[in-house]
Each structure stands twice: as C-alpha cells, then as structure tokens.
Amino acid sequence: MLDFWFLPPIPDAVREFLGFSPPVTLINIALVVYTFSALALTLARMMAGSNSYRGWAHLGYLGAFYGFYYYAGELKSNFWPVFAAGLTILCLENYRVWTYCTDAIREEREKLG
Amino acid sequence: MLNNFATRATVPVTITITGFVIVCCFVLYSFIKGDLLRDTVQHEISLADTIVKSTRHAMLKSDRETLTNMINNIGDQESVEHVRIFNKKGVIMFSANPAELGNEMDKQAAGCNSCHGGPEPSTGLGSMEQARQFTNERGVSVLAITAPVYNEPGCWTAPCHVHPSDQKILGTLDIGLSQKTFDQTMQRLWWRMIIFCVMILILSVGGVSALLRKFVLSPVRQLTVFVDQVSRGNFDYPLPRGDREIESVARIFLDIAVHGDKMKGRPGEGQEEEGES
C-alpha cells in the first residue's frame, strides 16, 4: 500500500555515524506519550484562553517521528499511527484557535456596533 | 451551528478521545503483531529443530531414501510451503519439490545473506535473524526459517562419511510456512479494534452530550425562559429547578425584577433616590 519508493536508502556512512536506531517499541511508546501530553496541553491552553498557535512545532515533532521510523526501517508499518496522532493534535489545535478567533471577532463586533 | 454551547463542549472531547484511542489502537496492534510474529518464529524454529533432530539418525547413516521420505511427508502438509536441506556449498540436496533438487542457491539471496553477508559466514544467528517473510511465486505470504545443521562429534566420527571436526556447519534446513492463518488472525484483530474505536466514539460523544444536556443545557434553557417570562412581568413563573447555581441566579434576577417593578410603580421615590445619590 505504502512503499515509499521515493525515499532514498540511508547510506552506510550515515548509519555508521549515527549508530543503531532506537527500538521500534520505544518509538511507539514515545509516540503515545507525546500524543497524550500534546492533547492535554492543547486542552489546557483552550481552558486558559491562550492565543498562541503551536501547530508548526507539532509538525516538527511529527516529522521527527517519521524520521525515527524511517531510520529504524519501520516507516511502512507505522505511517498511519503518526498520521492519526498528527491529525488529532492539529485538529484540536486548530479548533482551539478557531474558537478563540470567533470569540475575538464577536467581541470586536460588539464594541463596534 | 458550530458556535453553540453544545458543539463547543462536545467537539474537543470527541477529537481528543477518538484520536487518542485510534493512535493507541494502532500502537497496540503493532505490539500484538510483533509479539505474535515472535511467537510464530519461535514455534517455527522449534519445528525446524525437531526436523533436524528427527533426521539426524538418517543423516548419520547417510540414508537418503528415508531422508527424502521424511522431507516429502513434511512438505505434504497443508501449511508447509517449502522444505529443503542445503549442503555446505548451498546446493539443495533434499526438497519436497523435486524440481529444485541440485539447484545452487545464491548466497546473497534473502535467507542466505544474513549469514553470508560478511567476508566470513556467521555460525550463530538470533531467532528473528533466522526468519524472513516474503510472497512466493504462488502469491502466498510465507514465513521461512533457516536452521543450521551443526557438526557434532557423532558426525565426524561416523564410519560412513567423515566431516572434518573443525567444520562448524554441515548444511542448512530451510522451511517456509504459509502465513494465511496469521494474516487472518491479524485481520480479525484489526476489525475488532475498529469496532472498539467506534464504540468508544459513540460512548464518549453520547456520554458527554447526555451529561451536558442534563446538567448544563437544560437548566440554562429553563433559566432563559424564566428570565424572559419575568421580564414580561410574569413574576409567578416557577423557578428553574434541579441546579442550585441556576436556581440562585434565577432567584436574584427575580428579586431585582420585583424591586425594579416596585420602583417603577413609585416614580417620585425613585427619582428622589437618584437625586440623593
């Protein structure tokens, strides 16, 4: 289904320099912990009414997870967990920003009207 | 529609719970698949060891007929896709498929290169390194095990055919089992997890919606109707019941409204009070 033929193989020199990849089990556990804490922090920011957007940072973290799986040679079987985690976190983050903006626009309209 | 109270309360909960459960299901599926695969590999390794030990006597006696019969009988089983024994040079000496007898395997092929990848062939591999997965020419997904046939004192002291004592490996047994049952089990597990996710989604959204309706939306609606009625002068309209805070707000609003109405009824008094202040 997903072959990632377009991704080049990692050269031996790079592997020699970086060493062994972490076990896939550990990457999976890290992904679950990251998803849990990212969702909890987004909900906390939603309650606090914060206006900061953390979507770009999350894209970086998710990219790092893809990088780890790719280096461990397990990207094919772990593409969808990272995708689902990213979709959930970014949906919640964007929903938070959307509700914040909607409230701000309504407040502004009330002041103007 | 997206901006009302119920949607605002339900959407984040739904996204969070559903998304997290889906991620956990993917990871759990990956863990279970890995564990089952390791168990299957261990099972195949013990099967391969059993075959090697069973054929040991026939090998010591150089009884080729018995060995061929044993290999053919093993290969006749439904789940066995291939079973073959290589000699030290990589030539297939015994196989359930007569067409491949005498063929020499490429040492860089899958299943061979794990030992023959380096300049010196390795004599010991981990259990997972002995296994390989591939789809054969009949389109069947196969999990194959390569088990070495080690040289033992009985082999180099046997009178029939002598191996030097410093030769560690005499040959290799290669057995491949169909992964059809394993794939079916994983597919069943996958569908069960999807059903589990859908149930979690229904319960979480339904539960949050029901609680919101019972403890927030319904009292707020009652309060709205009460305020509307009181502002129209209907002071006898019953107070909203069920929630202490909402009831308290309604009572305060009623007191203010009644007081305001009394003030309205005595305009001079109200103006005096305003003037004094």
Side-chain angles (χ1 to χ4, degrees):
Chain A
M1 193 164 54
L2 290 165
D3 282 337
F4 301 106
W5 52 267
F6 50 89
L7 291 174
I10 297 171
D12 289 342
V14 176
R15 281 197 183 275
E16 221 166 275
F17 176 72
L18 292 175
F20 288 110
S21 69
V24 179
T25 310
L26 279 187
I27 307 175
N28 282 341
I29 291 170
L31 178 68
V32 172
V33 172
Y34 159 71
T35 310
F36 179 81
S37 45
L39 290 173
L41 286 171
T42 306
L43 288 174
R45 277 198 294 275
M46 188 183 276
M47 283 194 295
S50 163
N51 63 352
S52 63
Y53 179 66
R54 303 287 169 92
W56 298 114
H58 286 304
L59 282 179
Y61 297 137
L62 294 163
F65 274 107
Y66 276 129
F68 273 112
Y69 282 123
Y70 173 55
Y71 189 69
E74 292 284 337
L75 182 57
K76 191 180 170 184
S77 53
N78 289 288
F79 174 82
W80 291 111
V82 183
F83 183 82
L87 190 69
T88 307
I89 293 164
L90 292 176
C91 273
L92 192 65
E93 184 70 22
N94 283 291
Y95 181 77
R96 181 182 71 78
V97 172
W98 180 77
T99 49
Y100 179 86
C101 291
T102 309
D103 287 348
I105 289 167
R106 197 181 58 202
E107 209 171 300
E108 197 70 22
R109 275 186 185 150
E110 277 171 8
K111 277 181 192 168
L112 290 171
Chain B
M1 185 203 164
L2 285 172
N3 216 12
N4 64 31
F5 188 75
T7 313
R8 280 183 169 220
T10 317
V11 168
V13 178
T14 309
I15 293 174
T16 308
I17 294 177
T18 312
F20 190 66
V21 167
I22 288 173
V23 173
C24 285
C25 277
F26 271 123
V27 172
L28 193 63
Y29 178 82
S30 173
F31 282 152
I32 293 172
K33 191 176 180 181
D35 290 345
L36 282 178
L37 191 64
R38 260 189 296 279
D39 284 351
T40 311
V41 168
Q42 284 299 337
H43 175 253
E44 278 202 38
I45 286 173
S46 61
L47 178 69
D49 287 344
T50 307
I51 295 170
V52 170
K53 285 196 189 307
S54 309
T55 53
R56 186 173 178 272
H57 186 70
M59 285 183 190
L60 276 174
K61 295 283 179 192
S62 194
D63 186 351
R64 289 169 184 270
E65 193 184 342
T66 308
L67 258 174
T68 305
N69 269 329
M70 288 173 93
I71 294 295
N72 284 342
N73 288 338
I74 292 163
D76 280 347
Q77 289 184 82
E78 198 189 342
S79 62
V80 177
E81 284 297 315
H82 71 257
V83 56
R84 48 177 90 112
I85 295 176
F86 302 93
N87 68 5
K88 174 80 177 166
K89 291 173 185 166
V91 178
I92 300 174
M93 302 303 289
F94 302 95
S95 172
N97 178 13
E100 60 183 20
L101 279 172
N103 288 357
E104 191 172 347
M105 290 298 286
D106 178 11
K107 286 184 179 174
Q108 294 308 312
C112 304
N113 62 356
S114 47
C115 284
H116 295 278
E120 279 293 312
S122 167
T123 54
L125 285 176
S127 57
M128 293 309 282
E129 289 165 316
Q130 282 179 258
R132 67 188 193 280
Q133 285 178 293
F134 62 95
T135 305
N136 68 10
E137 63 281 357
R138 292 193 292 134
V140 180
S141 173
V142 176
L143 178 66
I145 292 289
T146 315
V149 180
Y150 288 107
N151 197 4
E152 293 174 12
C155 304
W156 72 71
T157 55
C160 53
H161 57 298
V162 179
H163 300 287
S165 60
D166 59 342
Q167 187 179 337
K168 283 188 177 171
I169 290 173
L170 303 179
T172 314
L173 170 80
D174 181 25
I175 182 165
L177 299 185
S178 165
Q179 279 197 289
K180 196 179 161 191
T181 318
F182 179 80
D183 291 341
Q184 282 172 346
T185 306
M186 294 317 297
Q187 208 165 11
R188 266 202 304 275
L189 180 69
W190 184 243
W191 279 110
R192 283 171 190 165
M193 281 188 163
I194 288 175
I195 293 167
F196 170 73
C197 278
V198 171
M199 288 196 301
I200 290 278
L201 174 67
I202 292 169
L203 281 178
S204 59
V205 176
V208 169
S209 304
L211 289 174
L212 273 176
R213 188 182 165 82
K214 167 81 179 138
F215 296 112
V216 182
L217 297 178
S218 182
V220 167
R221 195 176 300 121
Q222 282 180 36
L223 180 67
T224 313
V225 173
F226 175 80
V227 168
D228 183 54
Q229 288 295 322
V230 169
S231 63
R232 287 167 195 266
N234 184 5
F235 299 133
D236 297 327
Y237 196 81
L239 285 166
R241 298 285 174 195
D243 190 86
R244 202 189 303 161
E245 285 89 349
I246 295 284
E247 201 179 315
S248 172
V249 169
R251 203 178 291 280
I252 292 166
F253 181 78
L254 182 64
D255 288 347
I256 294 169
V258 170
H259 186 71
D261 191 63
K262 279 179 186 169
M263 291 295 106
K264 212 188 286 176
R266 290 177 290 175
E269 202 175 313
Q271 282 164 5
E272 274 170 26
E273 277 177 15
E274 269 178 31
E276 282 167 16
S277 63

